[in-house]
Amino acid sequence: MLYKKIPVQMYESFHKIFSGSNQNTFNICSECGGACEHNKIGTLLPGEEEYMAKKMGISVSDFKIRFLDALKMDDGTLIYVLKLGKLCPFLNKENEECECRDFKPIFCKIYPLVFTLEDEKINFIIDNWCKLSRKKACRLYFETAIPLLSRLAIPIEWLRHVTSYDNLCFDYDKLNKYRRGKSKYAVFSLEELLSLQKAETETTRLCVDFVQDFVQKVEEPVF
């Protein structure tokens, strides 16, 4: 299934208005070592690969080969994700800084703001697992991204696919071994991906279902 891509200019506008990180957030993130960068799959919104490739001045095909993998859903939908591995492909190993900070995937940029789906409505919530959520100024700042997200008109059915894996944790050692032999740009079926999630329920609280104990729900849905 093909979904309408979000225009490049919409991404450009979002990043101009919402910076995501600042020195205050960096200081807080350093306390946990950026756990979200080591444990979560970085999912790109429809058409976001074209925007990021343009910002880097490279072709979309080159961008996919260097930085992305794809998840193939049961209905044939391809969802592009940052290359599956222990570290984000944009994380500089020497200084631990993000090399795509000004045009990083929106789902990465808005965290600890996450979404849940209830019937046909999208609700945005703050993930209380993240230390950023414990500082009121940070919570209020990230909530300012909610109306900006509503303008992107993200397809609900596309988000429904993302919920099938987004709140799970994966064994990246197994995943790295599994992707050997695949091309640099690998396509994983959802069944393959789910077979590589961590079996131990106590390993990390990132596996917690966002709609349960560790989130504060935004009072009104924005869609």
Side-chain angles (χ1 to χ4, degrees):
M1 182 182 294
L2 295 177
Y3 292 107
K4 185 177 180 180
K5 294 181 178 180
I6 297 171
V8 168
Q9 59 267 30
M10 294 292 288
Y11 289 116
E12 192 71 48
S13 176
F14 185 97
H15 287 285
K16 284 182 179 179
I17 298 173
F18 186 75
S19 61
S21 300
N22 54 42
Q23 192 57 52
N24 289 331
T25 61
F26 287 138
N27 292 338
I28 296 172
C29 291
S30 64
E31 295 178 10
C32 72
C36 60
E37 293 183 341
H38 295 259
N39 294 281
K40 297 291 287 180
I41 289 177
T43 300
L44 274 64
L45 291 168
E48 197 165 14
E49 70 281 1
E50 296 181 4
Y51 166 72
M52 294 184 71
K54 182 179 179 180
K55 295 298 288 185
M56 295 186 72
I58 60 178
S59 68
V60 176
S61 59
D62 189 28
F63 179 79
K64 289 179 180 178
I65 291 173
R66 291 171 59 184
F67 300 105
L68 303 183
D69 284 327
L71 307 180
K72 188 173 184 179
M73 301 293 115
D74 293 340
D75 65 355
T77 299
L78 281 182
I79 294 180
Y80 293 108
V81 298
L82 295 180
K83 194 171 290 293
L84 297 171
K86 281 189 171 183
L87 295 176
C88 171
F90 286 105
L91 184 64
N92 187 306
K93 296 179 181 179
E94 294 183 3
N95 56 24
E96 295 189 347
E97 290 186 359
C98 174
E99 295 182 337
C100 64
R101 185 182 305 166
D102 296 332
F103 56 94
K104 69 194 304 181
I106 284 179
F107 276 4
C108 297
K109 194 164 194 174
I110 65 171
Y111 187 77
L113 190 67
V114 295
F115 71 91
T116 64
L117 288 179
E118 296 179 11
D119 298 323
E120 294 302 309
K121 295 181 179 179
I122 304 172
N123 293 323
F124 288 98
I125 56 181
I126 297 290
D127 178 11
N128 285 342
W129 178 89
C130 178
K131 289 186 177 182
L132 290 173
S133 70
R134 301 167 198 173
K135 189 170 183 178
K136 185 177 180 180
C138 290
R139 292 185 73 96
L140 293 175
Y141 174 62
F142 280 96
E143 286 176 358
T144 65
I146 293 176
L148 300 177
L149 291 166
S150 68
R151 298 176 196 170
L152 297 178
I154 305 168
I156 288 181
E157 284 305 315
W158 183 89
L159 285 172
R160 205 179 304 281
H161 282 309
V162 176
T163 61
S164 65
Y165 66 85
D166 189 56
N167 63 343
L168 301 176
C169 299
F170 297 89
D171 187 325
Y172 286 103
D173 287 326
K174 287 184 179 179
L175 194 148
N176 282 333
K177 292 178 181 177
Y178 187 83
R179 80 188 309 280
R180 288 175 188 166
K182 288 181 176 282
S183 63
K184 291 182 179 179
Y185 166 52
V187 178
F188 293 82
S189 70
L190 181 60
E191 182 179 2
E192 287 175 319
L193 180 69
L194 296 183
S195 71
L196 296 167
Q197 65 180 290
K198 288 184 178 179
E200 303 85 355
T201 57
E202 72 280 3
T203 50
T204 174
R205 289 169 66 188
L206 279 174
C207 296
V208 172
D209 188 332
F210 288 138
V211 300
Q212 295 182 5
D213 298 332
F214 298 94
V215 295
Q216 174 179 318
K217 191 173 181 180
V218 173
E219 291 183 1
E220 297 293 334
V222 296
F223 284 78

